[in-house]
């Protein structure tokens, strides 16, 4: 057993309101630089939708991630053979247009345009060429599906669904979607690290943060292809790749990363997990099916209260403060104790350490026809007219009734969070539902105690567990959501200057201004 | 032996090599960040394929062809003693040169015509491409006009190049060569001298060590077995990742 500690994350999707505050916080700190304008280390996608870069989940296009190959694993689009053979031209590299061409507007024209009969306009200017351009795509243009069915219908996760299931989804799509915030997963089996010919990308042993050494990176661009989540980005100006650094200067001093700190919905949790690094390879290579990886990854995560584990952790040099943080870790509770959080696309084989509590809302609801003529009569016909005759119905007659005949196919959720295994997702959603039923009995009281307890019993949840998970979901304070052991100064990892000094540069605290080579 | 020949074939190679070695080492140590392939594929991919791939494969084949002639002249001469083998070497080298030329023309055209690529193009990029273009054209002309170069390179030029490296320059043979060949040799020295000032440095950081490396890389700031040991000396340590 080789125990290591890993900073891991949980995003509670039911709480995400899609406000993009996280994206802005990240952009303002790290990527407001030339060459990085198009990068969103943190982005929030509307699901179902195509995401950023477009259709990133379709590995038939991008060839990212690992493939199980007999008793071993191999990189799908990179690696020693493919990577070096394609080094002069990488056929699977996403292009700037797959993200979007960054732009600004000629605002000065609004003030300086000479007097004329026409209103002056601020024309869009490309941030690459500096010339006027037609904007075809921008950051989050698929936000809330932008009033078109195209984004949702081209969602890669729908491919495996039957036509009737897809039809049911599109009916629901008119009124329900959810948000999927994404950052680098800081995987246990990172494909970007494995694909880097220069060896510039590495996983920090101390906390598992995956970083790119900007001095060592030579711009061979294989990491962009290899990362199935498309969370490494090529800076076209400096000729180096960049990625989310999990705000490691903040983490080292015990602060939450900017995206998490700023989260309005308080959906984000960050904590330490202890895991057995010896199982990394077998967790992916030894899995009989893609869905089996989910359980195998969970099995790698170790109980931080077990005295044997604690001793083994100490022998491996893990600090007492880190072990204590692992015991109080909110992510350990969500992922391991309560089985409420799942990794995104476990089938890519990178063992991502960002877990998601799947959203219940779109699953719970069903569409029922309703007579809305009463309400319509009350409205002023000139200003508003209500001709809808459906109802977004979230009432529950039977326990878990609406899960069994959910309009939003669970297959879709399963394609996102459990490699297509509906059983895994359904078990999690049932638990979430049980918490809700229990709390409804407690607070509203229109559900009987027997029904609430029956719900808990069916998902094998104790009253203590349900109260704790309810607390951590709804009431948790800052210190409950982020349990971060500060780095020990004597073993501090990348001792930096004040991050404000690096503003406008690449922000990695390099002592010389990082300038593009000739 | 006149002054010009002495300058071009004695002074120039030493100056070029000095600039090459000192310049690239200084650049790598002082401004490591600036060493990159500076790929522009992210901005334009389609025509890069038709430029970059033939260019690189062509230039690698020809570089190693020259290198083998330089390192193992006797072997090359022995190999070429059979006319069929000589003919095969000559023809395949010439084809490699044409492939290289085609790729380079595509690259140059792409740099000059594509708006996005123009943004990440420096004057040095264009200069390097033009210099290599001239070198390739001259090389092809030499190969066409003075055939069986693989043999006479090994017999005549290799001793000269060896003499440079052994610090006892003998330039009689190269001074007697036609001017076209002299231009090819001088062009090569200029390219060598340009390495530290241009994107050519990326050749020196070709990631061949990737083959021998395990796929995953985990770096520790501290030896984790020592970190909790009270007798560890905290002051004597360099992090792995710098």
């Amino acid at each position: 057993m080789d125990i290591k500690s890993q900073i891991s994350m949980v995003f509670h999707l039911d709480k995400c309101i899609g406000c993009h505050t996280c994206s802005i916080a990240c952009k303002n700190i790290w990527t407001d630089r030339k060459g990085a304008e198009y990068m969103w280390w943190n982005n929030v996608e509307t699901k179902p939708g195509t995401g950023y870069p477009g259709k990133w989940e379709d590995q038939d296009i991008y060839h990212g991630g690992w493939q199980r190959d007999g008793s071993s694993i191999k990189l799908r689009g990179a690696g020693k053979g493919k990577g070096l053979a394609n080094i002069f031209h990488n056929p699977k590299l996403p292009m700037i247009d797959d993200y979007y061409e960054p732009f600004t507007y000629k605002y000065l024209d609004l003030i300086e345009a000479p007097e004329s009969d026409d209103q002056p306009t601020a024309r869009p200017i490309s941030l690459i060429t500096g010339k006027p351009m037609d904007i075809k795509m921008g950051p989050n243009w698929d936000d809330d599906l932008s009033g078109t069915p195209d984004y949702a219908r081209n969602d890669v996760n729908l491919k495996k669904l039957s036509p009737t299931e897809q039809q049911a989804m599109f009916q629901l799509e008119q009124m329900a979607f959810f948000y999927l915030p994404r950052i680098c997963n800081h995987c246990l089996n990172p494909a970007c690290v494995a694909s880097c010919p220069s060896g510039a990308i590495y996983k920090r042993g101390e906390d598992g943060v995956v970083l790119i050494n900007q001095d060592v990176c030579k711009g061979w661009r294989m990491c962009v292809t290899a990362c199935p989540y498309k969370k490494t980005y090529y800076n076209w100006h400096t000729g180096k790749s960049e990625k989310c650094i999990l705000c490691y200067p903040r983490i080292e001093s015990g602060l939450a990363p900017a995206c998490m700190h700023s989260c309005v919905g308080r959906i984000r949790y960050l904590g330490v997990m202890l895991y057995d690094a010896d199982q990394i390879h077998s967790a992916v290579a030894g899995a009989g099916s893609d869905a089996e990886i989910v359980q195998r990854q969970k099995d790698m995560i170790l109980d931080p209260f077990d005295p044997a584990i604690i001793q083994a952790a100490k022998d491996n040099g893990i600090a007492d403060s880190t072990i204590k943080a692992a015991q109080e870790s909110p992510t350990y509770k969500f992922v391991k104790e309560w089985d409420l959080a799942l990794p995104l696309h476990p089938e890519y084989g990178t063992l991502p350490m960002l877990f998601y509590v799947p959203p219940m809302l779109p699953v719970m609801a069903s569409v029922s026809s309703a007579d809305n003529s009463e309400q319509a009569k009350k409205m002023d016909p000139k200003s508003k007219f209500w001709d809808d005759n459906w109802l977004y119905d979230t009432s529950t007659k039977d326990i878990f009734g609406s899960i069994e005949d959910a309009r939003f196919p669970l297959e879709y959720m399963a394609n996102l969070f459990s490699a297509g295994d509906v059983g895994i997702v359904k078990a999690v959603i049932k638990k979430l539902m049980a918490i809700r039923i229990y709390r409804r009995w407690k607070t509203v009281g229109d559900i009987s105690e027997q029904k609430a307890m029956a719900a808990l019993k069916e998902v094998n949840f104790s009253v203590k567990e349900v109260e704790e998970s309810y607390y951590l979901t709804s009431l948790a304070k800052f210190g409950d959501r982020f349990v971060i052991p500060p780095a020990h100064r004597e073993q501090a990892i990348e001792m930096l200057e004040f991050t404000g000094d690096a503003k406008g540069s690449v922000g990695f605290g390099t002592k010389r201004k990082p300038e593009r080579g000739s | 032996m006149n002054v010009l020949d002495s300058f071009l074939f004695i002074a120039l190679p030493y100056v070029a090599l000095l600039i090459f070695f000192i310049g690239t080492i200084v650049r790598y140590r002082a401004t490591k960040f600036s060493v990159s392939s500076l790929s522009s594929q992210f901005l334009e991919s389609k025509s890069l394929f038709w430029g970059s791939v033939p260019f690189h494969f062509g230039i690698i084949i020809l570089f190693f062809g020259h290198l083998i002639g330089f390192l193992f002249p006797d072997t090359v001469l022995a190999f070429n003693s059979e006319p069929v083998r000589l003919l095969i070497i000559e023809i395949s080298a010439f084809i490699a040169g044409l492939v290289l030329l085609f790729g380079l023309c595509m690259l140059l055209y792409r740099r000059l015509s594509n708006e996005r690529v123009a943004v990440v193009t420096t004057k040095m990029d264009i200069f390097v491409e033009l210099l290599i273009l001239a070198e390739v054209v001259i090389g092809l002309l030499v190969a066409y006009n003075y055939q069986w170069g693989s043999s006479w390179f090994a017999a005549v030029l290799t001793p000269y190049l060896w003499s440079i490296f052994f610090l006892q320059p003998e330039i009689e043979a190269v001074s007697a060569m036609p001017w076209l060949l002299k231009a090819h040799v001088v062009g090569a020295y200029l390219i060598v001298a340009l390495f530290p000032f241009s994107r050519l440095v990326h050749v020196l950081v070709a990631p061949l060590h990737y083959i021998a490396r395990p796929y995953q890389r985990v770096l520790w700031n501290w030896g984790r077995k020592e970190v909790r040991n009270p007798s560890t000396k905290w002051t004597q340590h360099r992090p792995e990742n710098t």
Side-chain angles (χ1 to χ4, degrees):
Chain A
M1 196 180 332
D2 179 18
I3 297 188
K4 289 182 189 167
S5 84
Q6 164 83 32
I7 295 274
S8 65
M9 302 142 275
V10 165
F11 290 2
H12 199 304
L13 294 185
D14 253 338
K15 302 207 289 170
C16 181
I17 59 173
C19 64
H20 304 280
T21 308
C22 45
S23 307
I24 298 299
C26 176
K27 164 84 33 194
N28 279 340
I29 296 181
W30 300 116
T31 59
D32 58 341
R33 294 171 278 120
K34 190 173 183 188
E37 308 95 339
Y38 81 95
M39 293 180 201
W40 293 87
W41 292 355
N42 179 111
N43 75 305
V44 184
E45 286 165 15
T46 304
K47 284 279 162 193
T50 48
Y52 157 88
K55 291 190 174 183
W56 62 271
E57 290 156 295
D58 194 343
Q59 303 310 339
D60 291 336
I61 300 176
Y62 291 115
H63 289 235
W66 296 92
Q67 269 180 328
R68 281 181 295 115
D69 180 25
S71 63
S72 184
I73 51 171
K74 61 172 189 194
L75 288 167
R76 187 163 177 183
K80 290 176 184 177
K82 277 180 193 163
L84 291 180
N86 292 331
I87 204 158
F88 305 130
H89 179 272
N90 179 357
K92 303 299 176 196
L93 183 77
M95 304 297 299
I96 181 85
D97 297 308
D98 291 323
Y99 303 82
Y100 62 89
E101 185 171 351
F103 53 86
T104 183
Y105 294 93
K106 260 183 146 175
Y107 292 108
L108 213 57
D109 282 2
L110 296 177
I111 299 163
E112 294 188 339
E115 192 179 332
S116 80
D117 293 337
D118 304 313
Q119 185 85 358
T121 53
R123 291 180 69 191
I125 303 287
S126 166
L127 280 174
I128 297 177
T129 61
K131 293 182 180 146
M133 62 177 274
D134 289 326
I135 302 173
K136 299 206 175 66
M137 185 74 183
N140 268 308
W141 272 31
D142 56 340
D143 201 21
D144 293 354
L145 303 180
S146 302
T148 155
D150 291 347
Y151 289 117
R153 276 164 209 222
N154 285 313
D155 188 312
V156 182
N157 301 294
L158 293 171
K159 266 189 184 171
K160 293 173 201 150
L161 267 61
S162 71
T164 34
E165 284 170 332
Q166 291 196 20
Q167 215 44 52
M169 272 204 56
F170 298 140
Q171 194 195 355
L172 201 79
E173 155 214 316
Q174 295 166 4
M175 51 186 180
F177 41 65
F178 65 97
Y179 300 104
L180 184 71
R182 300 200 299 123
I183 65 172
C184 168
N185 294 299
H186 298 280
C187 307
L188 294 184
N189 187 29
C192 60
V193 176
S195 73
C196 178
S198 302
I201 316 184
Y202 60 99
K203 194 170 176 66
R204 290 208 306 200
E206 282 83 357
D207 56 8
V209 174
V210 177
L211 295 173
I212 302 178
N213 187 332
Q214 291 287 294
D215 278 344
V216 180
C217 173
K218 303 288 183 290
W220 306 122
R221 348 170 269 298
M222 288 304 155
C223 53
V224 186
T225 300
C227 175
Y229 301 94
K230 291 293 162 276
K231 279 292 168 192
T232 44
Y233 301 89
Y234 182 73
N235 183 319
W236 54 265
H237 174 65
T238 60
K240 309 264 168 169
S241 288
E242 299 177 13
K243 64 179 284 301
C244 159
I245 58 174
L246 203 61
C247 286
Y248 71 80
R250 291 173 64 95
I251 288 209
E252 281 173 15
S253 46
L255 297 171
C259 59
M260 312 208 174
H261 198 132
S262 63
C263 180
V264 173
R266 301 180 180 186
I267 78 156
R268 300 189 176 208
Y269 303 83
L270 189 94
V272 174
M273 289 208 259
L274 303 179
Y275 69 99
D276 179 10
D278 280 342
Q279 293 179 38
I280 291 175
H281 188 263
S282 65
V284 186
S289 67
D290 286 341
E292 210 183 303
I293 298 175
V294 182
Q295 190 53 45
R296 280 173 175 260
Q297 186 180 2
K298 265 185 195 170
D299 292 343
M300 290 171 66
I301 299 164
L302 303 169
D303 179 4
F305 297 97
D306 184 340
I309 303 282
I310 292 174
Q311 190 50 49
K314 284 181 177 177
D315 292 344
N316 260 4
I318 296 175
D320 288 344
S321 57
T322 306
I323 296 170
K324 185 165 182 291
Q327 290 171 342
E328 291 166 2
S329 167
T331 54
Y332 178 78
K333 288 180 184 135
F334 269 116
V335 176
K336 186 86 177 179
E337 261 184 60
W338 303 330
D339 282 325
L340 283 176
L342 297 168
L344 179 64
H345 287 299
E347 71 272 21
Y348 297 160
T350 63
L351 304 177
M353 286 309 265
L354 162 54
F355 298 86
Y356 292 89
V357 179
M360 193 168 38
L361 193 64
V363 181
M364 255 179 71
S366 56
V367 187
S368 57
S369 59
D371 183 9
N372 290 328
S373 55
E374 282 295 308
Q375 283 92 328
K377 263 183 227 162
K378 290 177 197 161
M379 293 190 136
D380 175 3
K382 276 178 190 159
S383 56
K384 265 187 182 164
F385 185 69
W386 192 357
D387 59 354
D388 290 343
N389 57 356
W390 48 260
L391 181 72
Y392 184 64
D393 190 1
T394 57
S395 61
T396 51
K397 290 187 188 73
D398 309 313
I399 307 179
F400 307 128
S402 53
I403 294 182
E404 305 297 343
D405 47 55
R407 284 304 186 91
F408 202 94
L410 280 175
E411 280 86 354
Y412 178 79
M413 291 293 176
N415 285 343
L416 274 176
F417 299 114
S418 58
D421 188 326
V422 179
I424 298 173
V425 164
K426 194 189 267 179
V428 173
I429 301 237
K430 268 189 164 181
K431 276 194 170 176
L432 292 168
M433 194 84 150
I435 300 170
R436 205 167 274 204
I437 292 171
Y438 173 84
R439 285 306 302 174
R440 186 154 180 147
W441 160 62
K442 278 255 171 169
T443 53
V444 183
D446 62 346
I447 292 177
S448 68
E449 187 180 353
Q450 291 95 313
K451 191 177 170 180
M453 290 306 161
L456 288 193
K457 198 170 172 229
E458 191 168 334
V459 298
N460 205 10
F461 240 20
S462 70
V463 172
K464 182 173 170 283
E465 280 176 319
V466 80
E467 287 288 0
E468 272 179 16
S469 58
Y470 160 71
Y471 173 82
L472 203 54
T473 304
S474 307
L475 306 172
K477 302 288 182 289
F478 196 86
D480 301 320
R481 284 181 281 128
F482 306 108
V483 183
I484 306 161
H488 286 229
R489 187 183 163 79
E490 69 276 13
Q491 42 172 302
I493 296 152
E494 272 91 347
M495 287 308 279
L496 302 167
E497 307 96 306
F498 175 55
T499 48
D501 294 344
K503 185 88 174 159
S505 60
V506 294
F508 288 87
T510 44
K511 296 200 169 61
R512 196 183 303 269
K513 191 170 186 227
E515 272 165 1
R516 179 188 164 85
S518 56
Chain B
M1 198 202 300
N2 61 30
V3 179
L4 184 66
D5 279 343
S6 304
F7 172 72
L8 291 180
F9 300 112
I10 301 175
L12 188 61
Y14 285 118
V15 171
L17 286 172
L18 220 56
I19 293 176
F20 175 84
F21 282 110
I22 296 177
T24 49
I25 290 170
V26 165
R27 174 160 176 193
Y28 190 77
R29 290 177 68 110
T31 56
K32 215 174 170 189
F33 184 84
S34 76
V35 180
S36 164
S37 64
L38 295 177
S39 164
S40 56
Q41 194 195 343
F42 187 64
L43 300 175
E44 199 286 327
S45 184
K46 272 186 196 131
S47 68
L48 180 75
F49 174 80
W50 294 106
S52 178
V53 175
F55 169 76
H56 280 99
F57 279 108
I59 207 164
I60 287 172
I61 289 170
L62 287 175
F63 172 76
F64 280 103
H66 284 68
L67 190 70
I68 290 168
F70 170 66
L71 291 179
F72 313 108
D74 298 340
T75 320
V76 172
L77 283 174
F79 184 87
N80 283 349
S81 58
E82 188 78 43
V84 182
R85 295 191 226 160
L86 176 63
L87 204 63
I88 290 171
I89 290 254
E90 288 281 308
I91 291 172
S92 42
F94 199 77
I95 290 172
L98 289 176
V99 168
L100 197 171
L101 183 67
F102 171 77
L104 190 55
C105 290
M106 290 296 292
L107 287 177
L108 199 57
Y109 173 73
R110 173 175 175 272
R111 284 229 169 261
L112 297 173
S113 66
N114 188 293
E115 255 185 14
R116 286 179 179 174
V117 179
V119 175
V120 289
T121 298
T122 59
K123 282 178 188 145
M124 183 55 94
D125 293 343
I126 301 287
F127 182 67
V128 166
E129 281 187 356
L130 287 175
L131 188 64
I132 298 175
L133 185 69
E135 184 73 356
V136 173
V137 170
I138 293 171
L140 284 170
L141 286 175
V142 168
Y144 182 77
N145 288 323
Y146 312 102
Q147 283 152 0
W148 324 126
S150 54
S151 280
W152 58 250
F153 176 89
V156 182
L157 276 180
T158 301
Y160 159 64
L161 291 174
W162 277 99
S163 74
I164 293 284
F165 278 90
F166 284 115
L167 304 178
Q168 286 163 338
E170 306 262 353
I171 63 165
E172 280 79 14
V174 73
S175 313
M177 284 284 180
W179 69 268
L180 209 54
L181 187 100
K182 285 182 178 176
H184 191 69
V185 175
V186 169
Y189 291 147
L190 290 180
I191 292 174
V192 167
L194 266 181
F195 259 72
F197 311 109
S198 68
R199 63 165 61 212
L200 288 174
V201 280
H202 80 273
V203 178
L204 303 174
V205 292
L208 296 174
H209 55 290
Y210 184 40
I211 298 166
R213 192 194 92 196
Y215 268 125
Q216 295 297 1
R217 252 168 75 81
V218 178
L219 296 192
W220 297 84
N221 188 53
W222 274 92
R224 52 181 171 148
K225 301 290 178 190
E226 295 100 76
V227 75
R228 287 185 69 125
N229 184 348
S231 63
T232 301
K233 290 190 179 65
W234 294 103
T235 46
Q236 302 164 355
H237 182 75
R238 281 181 64 79
E240 289 175 43
N241 51 352
T242 51

